[in-house]
Amino acid sequence: MTKQPVLVVAAVIQRQEDPEGRILVVRRGPGQSGAGFWEFPGGKVEAGEAPEQALVREIMEELALSIRVHELIGEEDFAYPSKTIRLRVYWASVKGGEDLVLSEHDDFKWQRPEEIDVMSLSAADRPFVEKIQNSYGKR
């Protein structure tokens, strides 16, 4: 019997009123799986929770940031040695201010989509970079 992938969501959060179209990336902190790699923030979808609800909750828990979730960018399965995840990535925007608080990450930056260094991202997030770069500005 094949085990179902764990559903995980991530947000490509656009910076408010930024003519350069910057998006948020965060770096995983020490002691975490994938420490030192950058990622689009998000987390695991809990039982009975819609992916969009999970994303709003996770961003609030991890960054103290209130977001609006927009359209789906894509979905990919990624196999880790101990589990497989199904990662759904969404466009999102900040509802209020941008004073975020890092609780699980040790750094963040706002980058233009074309500045994202694919190799510095967690492996699960890498397949989405080209989609983000190609669709930014067409939304």
Side-chain angles (χ1 to χ4, degrees):
M1 182 167 120
T2 305
K3 194 172 182 183
Q4 285 282 42
V6 175
L7 183 55
V8 176
V9 288
V12 177
I13 303 170
Q14 295 178 289
R15 191 161 201 183
Q16 292 184 18
E17 300 175 21
D18 183 343
E20 295 192 37
R22 287 177 248 211
I23 57 176
L24 180 66
V25 291
V26 291
R27 188 173 60 201
R28 292 184 184 182
Q32 291 193 12
S33 172
F37 282 99
W38 293 85
E39 66 182 355
F40 303 116
K44 183 180 170 193
V45 177
E46 300 295 336
E49 194 174 40
E52 296 85 351
Q53 292 171 314
L55 194 50
V56 169
R57 176 187 51 76
E58 285 284 346
I59 300 303
M60 181 55 73
E61 288 174 4
E62 292 182 3
L63 303 172
L65 203 59
S66 180
I67 64 165
R68 281 189 183 87
V69 179
H70 302 291
E71 65 270 13
L72 180 70
I73 294 171
E75 177 179 286
E76 297 276 341
D77 286 358
F78 185 80
Y80 287 99
S82 61
K83 65 183 173 188
T84 297
I85 67 166
R86 176 161 292 145
L87 180 59
R88 286 187 186 168
V89 179
Y90 293 84
W91 286 107
S93 59
V94 180
K95 274 188 180 179
E98 292 180 1
D99 296 329
L100 53 101
V101 177
L102 299 174
S103 64
E104 297 187 22
H105 301 89
D106 67 1
D107 200 4
F108 74 94
K109 55 187 170 183
W110 293 96
Q111 290 191 303
R112 292 190 319 265
E114 66 272 14
E115 293 176 328
I116 296 171
D117 174 13
V118 176
M119 297 313 294
S120 71
L121 284 179
S122 70
D125 288 357
R126 291 175 190 168
F128 297 96
V129 173
E130 187 175 345
K131 291 176 185 179
I132 292 163
Q133 291 170 339
N134 288 339
S135 66
Y136 189 80
K138 298 176 186 170
R139 305 180 49 245

